Amino acid sequence: MKQRYSKILILFLLVLAGSNAFAQQIKGVVTDSVTHEPLMYISVYYQEKRDMGTITNIDGEYKLETRRNGGTLVFSAVGYISKTVKVGSGNQTINIQLAPDNVVLNEVVVKPKKEKYSRKNNPAVEFMKKVIEHKKAQVLEVNDYYQYDKYENVRIMIPRSVVIATEFFDDFIRHNGLKYIISQDFSDEEILSEFVSSVLPFRLREALKSYIRTVRTPLAIRSSSKLEDSHYQPFAGIYSTYMIPYVDNEDQMLRLLLKAVKSVYASVYFAASRAYIQSSQNLISEEKMAVIIQEVCGTEQDGLFFPTLSGVARSINYYPIGDETPEEGVCNIALGLGKLVVDGGRTLRFSPRYPQKVLQTSTPELALRDTQNEVLALSLRPEEFRTSIDDAVNLRRLGLTQIGGFRNSKFVCSVWDRENERISDSPFDQGRKVITFNNILKYNTFPLAEIISDILQMGAEEMRCPVEVEFAVNMDVAPGQRQVFNLLQIRPIIDNQDN
């Protein structure tokens, strides 16, 4: 079941990643260079990806619709010399003439004799007619998940990620002689010290050294373990997630990354992790830890890095309010890094079905009392990332009085108009900031509720159970660029009554 879940998850993420790609259509006619007659059953495919192609119909026509944008097309058939054509970007019409291949065969047997070729009652021709008849059912646009242009000026994407496989965790524990930690009682600080002072496998260090040469943004180093991602007992927020800034010095960047990876490894054996694993009737000795390295979504300002908003959405709402129903899902969002949401901090809760009906902002009193009162941001000073059991060691907590000058605040903040005792959504008003997300949820400046609803629906359908997703949004982009919705994680939700 673990393997099946992994395949479904990978497929779902690939489908989402593909939803940003540009569709290209290439069509044309293939003819005989001598007789100039149309040629049917000619194979047309990409040289770089042979399983992406088509064949010509009875009139020699072909049409290829793909998410690729350029490449090399191959036209081939038995009895003809194959031809390759370089394809640029955009829709194109490419007509091809194939020359007969003058090859003498040792023996040719044709039966029955003297029977002329006929299209009438020809099963091959009938088969091709049926293929062409159902061609429209196979085009990209009719696919339920083909939504690359559904959200105007928005890119839905998965941050560039690298996975450190579980085999490196096993090698790290074995080669550094750390198995004794499993059976002995150490403090979290002592465990972390032992792990950070140990050495990662040489092959992993070399791979990470090559990887950081391609990095230009801060990185999140998060766990992805066997028990954590179990389809039947998934859990989140138990192991540590560390974030590191990007620095130009390659050696310094590598040291930060290696320390973060070893710190995530160590968090498997922290007291809270042990207690949770024991309460779930699992064994700590059976845990296998993989690590995911992801680029952090957001922008930099004044030495701090954070997204416009982060959040967690669930396809099932266990505590619906008012007109909400359980199957419509629920979402919690916050300005800044998503650790505030995952750790249960004060966030904004809304139903994707009713984004304009938010209890916390329904009255000025509730908005002032119950909305988000702090923002988490990553410090870009590398010296602040110290060895610590606190994975927020280099995160800054900003109060409401500190966020007014940040660009991201204009997308999510309202202002308390003390004189008129009301919440104002005007960007020109001055006063105490209130993180209401009214511009997004009420005035739809970003299609957040619609995107969340679509992703939850797709995830639940693919996993065949309720799902939980983590995401981040960056609206602070340069003029002319599209805003970004980053899908960070997706995992199943299992009802406790089912276990």
Side-chain angles (χ1 to χ4, degrees):
M1 293 302 296
K2 171 70 175 177
Q3 184 179 6
R4 177 173 173 267
Y5 159 65
S6 299
K7 289 181 178 179
I8 292 174
L9 176 57
I10 292 172
L11 174 62
F12 173 59
L13 292 178
L14 288 176
V15 169
L16 286 175
S19 63
N20 268 317
F22 179 80
Q24 182 180 33
Q25 182 185 92
I26 303 172
K27 62 181 180 179
V29 178
V30 181
T31 57
D32 188 301
S33 64
V34 177
T35 66
H36 302 293
E37 293 182 351
L39 299 176
M40 61 180 178
Y41 310 137
I42 302 298
S43 297
V44 185
Y45 58 90
Y46 278 95
Q47 190 176 56
E48 301 88 350
K49 192 171 180 62
R50 295 180 65 92
D51 59 349
M52 185 179 296
T54 185
I55 59 175
T56 57
N57 61 18
I58 57 178
D59 296 318
E61 299 171 338
Y62 72 94
K63 182 186 291 185
L64 189 60
E65 295 175 311
T66 174
R67 292 186 174 92
R68 296 180 64 88
N69 203 4
T72 302
L73 278 184
V74 179
F75 299 79
S76 67
V78 176
Y80 287 89
I81 299 175
S82 298
K83 181 174 287 188
T84 60
V85 177
K86 290 285 186 181
V87 179
S89 60
N91 298 338
Q92 298 183 40
T93 298
I94 302 176
N95 297 324
I96 296 295
Q97 288 188 337
L98 294 184
D101 190 2
N102 297 322
V103 176
V104 179
L105 302 179
N106 292 330
E107 181 180 10
V108 177
V109 179
V110 180
K111 293 182 180 181
K113 296 180 180 180
K114 298 181 180 179
E115 181 174 337
K116 295 181 65 177
Y117 174 80
S118 174
R119 293 186 179 184
K120 187 176 182 180
N121 298 324
N122 188 324
V125 174
E126 294 300 319
F127 174 75
M128 283 303 302
K129 286 182 178 179
K130 290 183 179 180
V131 171
I132 296 170
E133 181 182 347
H134 293 86
K135 181 71 173 179
K136 291 184 178 180
Q138 307 302 322
V139 298
L140 298 174
E141 285 80 357
V142 302
N143 190 307
D144 289 341
Y145 300 158
Y146 188 68
Q147 301 175 348
Y148 75 97
D149 60 350
K150 183 174 182 179
Y151 314 106
E152 186 177 0
N153 296 324
V154 177
R155 296 170 60 197
I156 300 179
M157 56 191 298
I158 301 167
R160 199 161 67 102
S161 307
V162 169
V163 177
I164 301 176
T166 58
E167 64 179 272
F168 289 109
F169 176 75
D170 295 335
D171 291 345
F172 175 75
I173 296 295
R174 183 172 57 254
H175 291 160
N176 291 284
L178 296 172
K179 287 186 177 181
Y180 70 94
I181 291 179
I182 299 176
S183 58
Q184 298 188 30
D185 188 18
F186 292 97
S187 68
D188 292 351
E189 290 79 4
E190 291 172 325
I191 294 172
L192 181 61
S193 176
E194 288 288 326
F195 273 67
V196 171
S197 61
S198 298
V199 179
L200 289 171
F202 174 79
R203 186 160 57 99
L204 176 58
R205 298 201 308 272
E206 290 301 305
L208 293 178
K209 183 183 295 185
S210 300
Y211 165 69
I212 62 174
R213 292 169 184 160
T214 69
V215 171
R216 293 296 180 271
T217 66
L219 299 175
I221 297 85
R222 59 201 315 164
S223 60
S224 179
S225 74
K226 172 185 173 183
L227 299 179
E228 185 180 25
D229 293 337
S230 166
H231 196 78
Y232 295 101
Q233 285 184 316
F235 57 86
I238 303 301
Y239 301 142
S240 298
T241 295
Y242 290 88
M243 293 186 179
I244 59 174
Y246 167 74
V247 293
D248 291 326
N249 186 291
E250 184 178 308
D251 293 331
Q252 186 180 19
M253 185 69 183
L254 181 62
R255 289 179 65 86
L256 292 173
L257 180 55
L258 295 181
K259 183 191 295 186
V261 171
K262 289 184 283 188
S263 298
V264 172
Y265 280 168
S267 68
V268 175
Y269 302 103
F270 288 171
S273 304
R274 289 173 179 261
Y276 185 89
I277 291 174
Q278 291 174 359
S279 67
S280 61
Q281 299 180 343
N282 289 296
L283 298 176
I284 188 69
S285 58
E286 295 179 353
E287 180 65 300
K288 302 290 184 182
M289 173 65 76
V291 171
I292 298 178
I293 304 173
Q294 283 185 333
E295 294 183 345
V296 180
C297 174
T299 51
E300 182 274 338
Q301 185 175 351
D302 298 337
L304 299 177
F305 193 96
F306 61 95
T308 306
L309 65 94
S310 302
V312 174
R314 301 171 182 85
S315 63
I316 186 168
N317 181 0
Y318 288 111
Y319 305 101
I321 301 173
D323 296 331
E324 300 172 359
T325 60
E327 57 274 7
E328 291 168 346
V330 67
C331 185
N332 289 81
I333 56 176
L335 168 62
L337 298 173
K339 182 175 175 59
L340 186 71
V341 183
V342 175
D343 288 354
R346 187 185 295 181
T347 61
L348 192 82
R349 173 204 178 277
F350 71 95
S351 166
R353 178 69 175 80
Y354 304 102
Q356 296 181 348
K357 297 181 179 180
V358 180
L359 178 62
Q360 292 163 269
T361 58
S362 57
T363 68
E365 292 77 11
L366 289 175
L368 293 172
R369 188 188 68 192
D370 295 340
T371 54
Q372 183 181 350
N373 58 1
E374 64 176 349
V375 176
L376 292 186
L378 172 66
S379 170
L380 297 182
R381 297 176 59 186
E383 62 271 17
E384 292 192 22
F385 181 62
R386 303 181 302 274
T387 301
S388 174
I389 61 173
D390 179 13
D391 55 5
V393 60
N394 59 337
L395 301 187
R396 298 275 188 89
R397 295 182 181 270
L398 307 176
L400 295 179
T401 58
Q402 298 173 280
I403 65 173
F406 287 93
R407 297 186 300 270
N408 274 313
S409 67
K410 67 182 180 182
F411 301 107
V412 302
C413 287
S414 301
V415 174
W416 166 239
D417 183 351
R418 181 185 296 273
E419 182 177 349
N420 297 302
E421 295 188 347
R422 66 183 184 94
I423 300 294
S424 171
D425 299 323
S426 171
F428 305 106
D429 288 346
Q430 301 294 322
R432 172 186 168 182
K433 298 294 183 181
V434 184
I435 305 175
T436 62
F437 296 94
N438 282 347
N439 288 331
I440 296 174
L441 299 180
K442 284 188 177 182
Y443 308 115
N444 202 33
T445 56
F446 185 91
L448 179 64
E450 187 179 3
I451 295 174
I452 291 297
S453 296
D454 287 344
I455 289 180
L456 290 178
Q457 178 184 351
M458 287 187 284
E461 288 176 356
E462 294 297 326
M463 291 191 176
R464 301 180 183 178
C465 68
V467 295
E468 178 180 87
V469 299
E470 292 183 27
F471 60 90
V473 172
N474 181 28
M475 299 175 65
D476 181 27
V477 297
Q481 292 187 1
R482 289 182 292 173
Q483 296 170 331
V484 177
F485 180 98
N486 264 345
L487 178 63
L488 306 179
Q489 286 197 37
I490 180 170
R491 50 183 166 266
I493 298 175
I494 304 301
D495 193 330
N496 291 332
Q497 296 177 356
D498 295 337
N499 293 324

